[in-house]
């Protein structure tokens, strides 16, 4: 499971657009993450952590597909 699928499953987001709005980042950025053209930056990882309380270690694991 990757980060975006995890957020949809565990935090009730309907789609990638909703994730973008929830995190305050662009849909283009979310699209690049979804299509593996961008690895989430430290800033994005921190936003996910601060917004949802997910451990940074877990977020990093999801980013690399562990």
């Amino acid at each position: 499971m990757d980060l975006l699928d995890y957020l949809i499953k565990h935090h009730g987001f309907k789609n990638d657009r909703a994730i973008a709005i929830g995190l305050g980042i662009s849909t283009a950025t979310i699209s690049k993450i979804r299509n593996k053209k961008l690895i989430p930056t430290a800033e994005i990882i921190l936003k996910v952590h601060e917004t949802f309380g997910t451990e940074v270690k877990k977020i990093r694991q999801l980013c690399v597909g562990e």
Side-chain angles (χ1 to χ4, degrees), residues 4-49:
L4 299 179
D5 291 335
Y6 176 86
L7 293 175
I8 288 171
K9 182 176 181 180
H10 294 281
H11 295 287
F13 286 108
K14 188 173 182 179
N15 53 37
D16 289 354
R17 184 175 186 277
I19 294 171
I21 292 168
L23 292 175
I25 59 179
S26 72
T27 53
T29 298
I30 294 294
S31 178
K32 288 176 185 175
I33 293 170
R34 169 72 66 199
N35 293 303
K36 310 260 188 273
K37 294 183 180 184
L38 175 71
I39 296 171
T41 62
E43 181 180 356
I44 293 170
I45 290 170
L46 186 59
K47 281 185 179 191
V48 172
H49 169 69

Side-chain angles (χ1 to χ4, degrees), residues 46-66:
L46 186 59
K47 281 185 179 191
V48 172
H49 169 69
E50 290 176 343
T51 303
F52 305 110
T54 306
E55 292 183 22
V56 171
K57 182 178 180 179
K58 176 70 172 175
I59 297 166
R60 290 175 52 107
Q61 289 172 339
L62 292 165
C63 290
V64 296
E66 290 183 2

